[in-house]
Amino acid sequence: IMFGKSSEQKKYVSNENSLDDSLNILSADDFLRELGHMQVESNVRNIPFSLVMVDIDKLKDINLSMGFVAGNLVLSHTARCLSRYFGDKYKIARYSSDEYVVLMMGVEQPKARLEAENLKDKLSNVSVLGVGTVEYHFSFVTYPTHSENIAGLL
């Protein structure tokens, strides 16, 4: 239920959620819940997990200079690329307005680094019609190597 939102805002949120649902992308809330579950599983099974963060560079500038439709095209194209690249291997989440996260259960730091580097190579030539080449920033963290709490990972 959405209070105080215009019908256009409701439609935008609905369309954004349906894109995420159709690509099996977790919402930010679902991501945080899943992260908690992963931490518990990691502790119980004594295995690590890693996160690869994919930040869309200058998305705000794209939205302001080319409009929100262009920004949404970049977001949806990025989500489709991530979904195609990883398939069912890992979970993918939308973390913030310009960031996606790949959740990798049982993946240690060296493999997470390799996955981030391979993803960087894969997305380095991504071009969106009407926008041009999209640039990304990549990072990764591994639990518990980099931090023993969720806040420290993010």
Side-chain angles (χ1 to χ4, degrees), residues 52-55 116 119-121 123-124 136-140:
V52 171
M53 281 79 140
V54 181
D55 180 48
L119 183 59
K120 182 179 180 179
D121 290 342
L123 293 180
S124 66
Y136 300 93
H137 293 282
F138 301 87
S139 59
F140 74 92

Side-chain angles (χ1 to χ4, degrees), residues 8-112:
E8 189 62 33
Q9 287 171 316
K10 289 178 189 176
K11 188 167 98 174
Y12 170 77
V13 170
S14 173
N15 287 342
E16 185 176 284
N17 288 342
S18 65
L19 169 68
D20 290 351
D21 290 344
S22 69
L23 295 173
N24 206 22
I25 305 266
L26 300 173
S27 68
D29 289 340
D30 291 337
F31 161 64
L32 293 174
R33 268 191 294 281
E34 183 63 26
L35 202 51
H37 296 308
M38 289 175 72
Q39 183 182 29
V40 169
E41 182 179 351
S42 175
N43 291 335
V44 168
R45 295 178 51 204
N46 197 30
I47 60 172
F49 68 84
S50 294
L51 306 174
V52 171
M53 281 79 140
V54 181
D55 180 48
I56 302 168
D57 193 31
K58 300 180 183 175
L59 183 64
K60 183 177 181 180
D61 292 344
I62 293 169
N63 283 332
L64 292 175
S65 65
M66 298 180 191
F68 288 102
V69 171
N72 285 340
L73 285 172
V74 170
L75 287 167
S76 62
H77 190 75
T78 301
R80 278 192 294 280
C81 287
L82 290 170
S83 292
R84 271 189 243 126
Y85 183 73
F86 288 115
D88 293 331
K89 187 175 180 182
Y90 305 121
K91 292 182 180 181
I92 302 166
R94 174 97 177 268
Y95 178 53
S96 67
S97 62
D98 63 351
E99 189 170 24
Y100 287 94
V101 180
V102 182
L103 298 89
M104 299 184 268
M105 191 67 203
V107 173
E108 296 188 18
Q109 183 178 347
K111 185 171 181 186

